[in-house]
């Protein structure tokens, strides 16, 4: 059995979408992969409860307990490597990762970013899209490279920006698409594993 590990910091709705899709489509039987663990840097991340309810192993590594970014990333990698993951999925994991961590998982580390990359890397993507007068916004799944929110694009979805949109209403519209394209992108990678 090949292992996928998902990293979260918050509600974990993207993680849950991937877990549900894997269950519905029987990824274990079909592709020999399972969601082996969900790891959070925040003990109160809502998604941890969902993962535990699904019988998925969970772990919390509080980044504030480590003296440096490098020390946290080393501990995180040690935790992840216990599962020997074929794929590490960042799903609302709100940490900038060190080049060493990214290199360690080169080719098996992916992220979801709520904009149409290469536009609007970084934070506050929805407000920035509204402020720029964009008529369309969206979401991108990409491979992670050392530079933040840059890296080969694996999948995207587009939504309209509607008159009167706030960052919240636009974020909600984008999130419904995130829940479609992230499971789809993970499935495509899993199928390539053979
Ligand atoms: C998503 O919008 C993701 O794209 C962003 O953080 C949010 C995480 O949501 N980077 P969730 O924790 O998956 O519900």
């Amino acid at each position: 059995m090949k292992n996928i590990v998902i990293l979260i910091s918050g509600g974990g709705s993207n993680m849950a979408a991937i877990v549900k899709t894997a269950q519905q489509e029987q990824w274990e039987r079909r592709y020999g992969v399972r969601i082996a663990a969900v790891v959070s840097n925040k003990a109160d991340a809502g998604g941890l409860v969902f993962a535990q309810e699904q019988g998925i192993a969970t772990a919390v590594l509080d980044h504030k307990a480590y003296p440096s970014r490098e020390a946290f990333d080393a501990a995180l990698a040690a935790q992840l490597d216990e599962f020997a993951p074929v794929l590490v999925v960042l799903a609302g994991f709100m940490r900038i990762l060190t080049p060493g961590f990214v290199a360690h998982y080169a080719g098996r580390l992916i992220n979801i970013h709520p904009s149409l990359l290469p536009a609007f890397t970084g934070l506050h993507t929805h407000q920035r899209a509204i402020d720029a007068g964009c008529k369309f916004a969206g979401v991108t799944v990409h491979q992670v490279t050392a530079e933040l929110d840059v890296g080969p694009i694996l999948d995207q979805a587009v939504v309209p920006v509607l008159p009167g949109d706030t960052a919240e209403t636009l974020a909600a519209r984008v999130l419904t698409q995130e829940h479609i394209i992230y499971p789809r992108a993970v499935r495509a990678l899993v199928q390539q594993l053979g």
Side-chain angles (χ1 to χ4, degrees):
M1 188 66 65
K2 301 184 186 99
N3 288 338
I4 296 172
V5 178
I6 305 180
L7 272 58
I8 65 169
S9 297
S13 68
N14 279 290
M15 174 273 296
I18 294 166
V19 168
K20 285 180 198 160
T21 300
Q23 289 169 350
Q24 282 159 10
E25 298 179 354
Q26 302 186 45
W27 287 5
E28 288 199 25
R29 184 182 60 76
R30 275 201 202 159
Y31 309 125
V33 301
R34 60 170 184 164
I35 316 302
V38 172
V39 178
S40 173
N41 65 317
K42 290 187 183 278
D44 61 355
L48 290 170
V49 177
F50 171 84
Q52 284 156 6
E53 285 168 358
Q54 305 303 308
I56 298 170
T58 60
V60 175
L61 272 85
D62 181 357
H63 58 276
K64 294 194 287 298
Y66 295 86
S68 66
R69 205 175 274 284
E70 284 71 22
F72 172 71
D73 278 9
L76 181 61
Q79 174 71 68
L80 300 184
D81 285 349
E82 286 185 22
F83 297 96
V86 293
L87 194 59
V88 176
V89 176
L90 306 178
F93 187 64
M94 302 304 284
R95 296 283 306 165
I96 293 174
L97 297 162
T98 55
F101 183 96
V102 172
H104 181 69
Y105 295 104
R108 51 185 174 132
L109 183 61
I110 64 172
N111 182 45
I112 191 160
H113 182 75
S115 78
L116 291 173
L117 290 175
F120 306 124
T121 61
L123 296 174
H124 311 301
T125 54
H126 306 299
Q127 189 61 53
R128 288 159 65 205
I130 290 168
D131 291 347
C134 294
K135 301 301 177 197
F136 294 93
V139 55
T140 303
V141 177
H142 65 98
Q143 280 174 2
V144 176
T145 54
E147 205 180 335
L148 183 70
D149 298 330
V150 175
I153 291 171
L154 298 172
D155 209 340
Q156 287 184 313
V158 177
V159 303
V161 180
L162 299 178
D165 257 343
T166 63
E168 289 71 30
T169 59
L170 179 56
R173 192 174 308 120
V174 170
L175 193 61
T176 62
Q177 294 303 309
E178 297 187 31
H179 298 162
I180 295 169
I181 73 163
Y182 217 179
R184 185 168 79 193
V186 173
R187 186 202 304 111
L189 289 172
V190 156
Q191 286 172 327
Q192 285 171 23
L193 292 170

